[in-house]
Amino acid sequence: MAHPEPRPVTVHAAQRLAGRIRVPGDKSISHRSLMLSALAVGESRVEGLLEGEDVLATAAAMRAMGATIERGGDAIWRINGVGVGGLLQPQAALDMGNSGTSTRLLMGLVASHPITATFTGDASLSGRPMKRVIDPLSAMGADITASPGGRLPLMVRGLCPAVPIEYELPVTSAQVKSAVLLAGLNTPGITRVIEPVATRDHSERMLAGFGATITVEPGARGRIISITGEAELKPQTIVVPGDPSSAAFWMVAATIVPGSDVVIENVGLNSTRAGLVTALRLMGADIEELDPRTVGGEPVADLRVRHAALSGIEVPHDLAPSMIDEYPALFVAAAFAQGRTVARGADELRVKESDRIAVMKAALEANGVVTIEHEDGLSIDGTGGDPIPGGATVASSLDHRIAMGMVVAGLHAANPIAIDDASPVATSFPTFFDLLADLGGSVTWG
């Protein structure tokens, strides 16, 4: 997938942000709803699907392997699946664009089917490590040929029947866990994943909802997730809650811009994803949960966020797995806190769409923020609520969360902040700039 033409944008300081907004559907749940619906027999319906480029790459891949996937005029997606074991040989390479989730999870699906699939992606995705998935899938019998360094493009030749394994995660990664569980769906016997540190549990919840036999229990080495293979999945109706990773940017924006009062509707608050809410509250943020409820088996609430003075903290390391995608937003919040914030325990940031530690350090420092780089995070000296100097142009490094994070920083900067390319935002949040305008923010394109 060719990267689109760069879209430079300049962000101007906001006087106040106010209003009600609704963020797109959760990206993690959207990916999984398409994949599991495509493996069920019959028609599943998905409401609130994130229609960003990453999720559309998953939809295209599942179509290429035999599923019928259509979006109705009512914005409900209808998926007629092929059944576990029924994936068809794709006739062309599967272009994953910028989506690491699509790539790693689909590698797991292919690994236990008698098909061969080639995975390609854009420059950013092609630089991300896949060995963490290649190792366990190879142990199950898949034959995987990757580019140097275990990277894309790569080819997966599935084995059917594959070999069930017990695999202890060497890295804290929901994607690796999910890839092994998805491979286990079409593998005779019981496949087990041992998770020393709990990660987001959307795969476990959704697999159970579709009728797979899956258990989660504590063990001496961590959570033990066991799935019984050769499953028969039943079609489901899924309502996707709002993505907490997308809501993160508005939580920080409303907190740092004086006078702001924003309600973010329908935000997923799964405990394995809500670490940023906890961290911001520890810093003094005013975040109120309205109308808490359960949607599609996931805890959800509307979040009212008002401007508040923040204090620097040492972010608890054990929050990292539940907010790993939200660190760029947290770094921005820290830039406006009183004193120093130390945010560590997040080695995984080095291998996201960009090296988010190095890239955020460079972006913040270019705009007058004092930072100290650690191998696993940043220490940031905040302004005590005053605007940051701003005035610089920063590189998004083809990373949607870097671009959105620095847009938020620009909303309370003394001088406009320019981002060299905001086009990656469309991978996860196509309506981001529309919502910014709705709340009273202002940008200039070009």
Side-chain angles (χ1 to χ4, degrees):
M1 181 182 292
H3 185 70
E5 287 295 314
R7 295 193 70 200
V9 67
T10 300
V11 188
H12 309 282
Q15 295 302 308
R16 176 177 184 261
L17 300 176
R20 297 181 71 93
I21 58 172
R22 180 170 289 233
V23 298
D26 186 280
K27 185 153 72 85
S28 296
I29 295 174
S30 293
H31 281 302
R32 288 159 174 82
S33 67
L34 288 173
M35 293 180 194
L36 294 185
S37 295
L39 291 175
V41 177
E43 182 178 273
S44 294
R45 298 185 178 195
V46 183
E47 181 180 343
L49 188 87
L50 168 62
E51 297 180 3
E53 292 171 359
D54 283 9
V55 174
L56 296 181
T58 290
M62 298 316 299
R63 286 192 190 102
M65 291 187 285
T68 302
I69 302 177
E70 297 177 346
R71 182 191 188 276
D74 54 4
I76 295 176
W77 290 69
R78 293 168 173 83
I79 303 100
N80 282 278
V82 296
V84 173
L87 293 180
L88 302 180
Q89 173 69 45
Q91 298 305 303
L94 303 177
D95 187 345
M96 299 289 94
N98 189 241
S99 181
T101 302
S102 302
T103 305
R104 294 186 177 116
L105 270 59
L106 289 173
M107 286 173 64
L109 285 184
V110 170
S112 60
H113 282 75
I115 60 176
T116 298
T118 297
F119 293 84
T120 64
D122 67 11
S124 172
L125 181 60
S126 298
R128 296 177 67 183
M130 296 297 156
K131 188 174 184 297
R132 56 182 55 187
V133 178
I134 292 172
D135 288 347
L137 298 182
S138 297
M140 297 180 77
D143 180 8
I144 302 176
T145 304
S147 297
R151 302 179 191 275
L152 268 57
L154 60 76
M155 178 181 293
V156 180
R157 300 175 183 85
L159 177 68
C160 186
V163 179
I165 61 171
E166 179 176 287
Y167 188 69
E168 182 170 346
L169 295 179
V171 294
T172 303
S173 171
Q175 292 179 2
V176 178
K177 170 180 67 176
S178 298
V180 176
L181 293 175
L182 291 175
L185 271 178
N186 197 42
T187 299
I190 297 176
T191 298
R192 289 188 174 89
V193 177
I194 299 171
E195 190 177 46
V197 178
T199 65
R200 59 187 64 177
D201 63 355
H202 303 304
S203 292
E204 297 95 304
R205 288 173 181 256
M206 195 172 291
L207 282 163
F210 272 86
T213 301
I214 183 168
T215 62
V216 181
E217 53 193 359
R221 292 179 288 167
R223 295 171 78 239
I224 302 171
I225 306 113
S226 303
I227 189 163
T228 301
E230 299 178 308
E232 294 185 12
L233 302 187
K234 300 173 183 178
Q236 300 294 309
T237 297
I238 298 169
V239 178
V240 181
D243 195 323
S245 298
S246 296
F249 298 101
W250 306 120
M251 285 191 272
V252 172
T255 298
I256 65 173
V257 176
S260 294
D261 188 346
V262 173
V263 174
I264 313 163
E265 299 176 346
N266 196 49
V267 180
L269 292 177
N270 183 310
S271 62
T272 64
R273 298 287 302 281
L276 181 67
V277 175
T278 301
L280 289 176
R281 283 173 169 161
L282 289 172
M283 297 173 76
D286 181 356
I287 303 174
E288 182 182 1
E289 295 176 26
L290 307 176
D291 187 21
R293 56 203 183 270
T294 300
V295 175
E298 296 275 349
V300 167
D302 303 334
L303 299 181
R304 183 181 185 186
V305 188
R306 286 169 281 195
H307 169 67
L310 299 179
S311 298
I313 63 167
E314 183 161 342
V315 180
H317 285 211
D318 60 4
L319 288 180
S322 62
M323 58 181 286
I324 196 66
D325 286 333
E326 290 75 70
Y327 270 85
L330 175 70
F331 292 155
V332 171
F336 297 93
Q338 179 68 50
R340 175 171 292 180
T341 297
V342 180
R344 304 189 62 172
D347 315 64
E348 189 71 9
L349 296 178
R350 297 286 187 186
V351 292
K352 290 289 187 177
E353 284 83 338
S354 68
D355 178 343
R356 287 180 176 162
I357 295 172
V359 175
M360 283 300 297
K361 173 184 170 65
L364 290 170
E365 288 194 339
N367 286 283
V369 180
V370 176
T371 73
I372 300 170
E373 182 174 352
H374 310 290
E375 184 58 34
D376 59 349
L378 290 176
S379 294
I380 298 171
D381 291 340
T383 64
D386 293 335
I388 61 172
T393 298
V394 300
S396 68
S397 299
L398 299 179
D399 190 326
H400 54 136
R401 301 201 196 281
I402 300 296
M404 290 186 283
M406 293 311 297
V407 167
V408 171
L411 296 174
H412 195 40
N415 297 286
I417 292 177
I419 293 119
D420 69 340
D421 184 9
S423 64
V425 171
T427 64
S428 68
F429 204 156
T431 60
F432 178 81
F433 289 100
D434 294 332
L435 295 184
L436 176 60
D438 291 345
L439 293 175
S442 174
V443 301
T444 302
W445 292 98

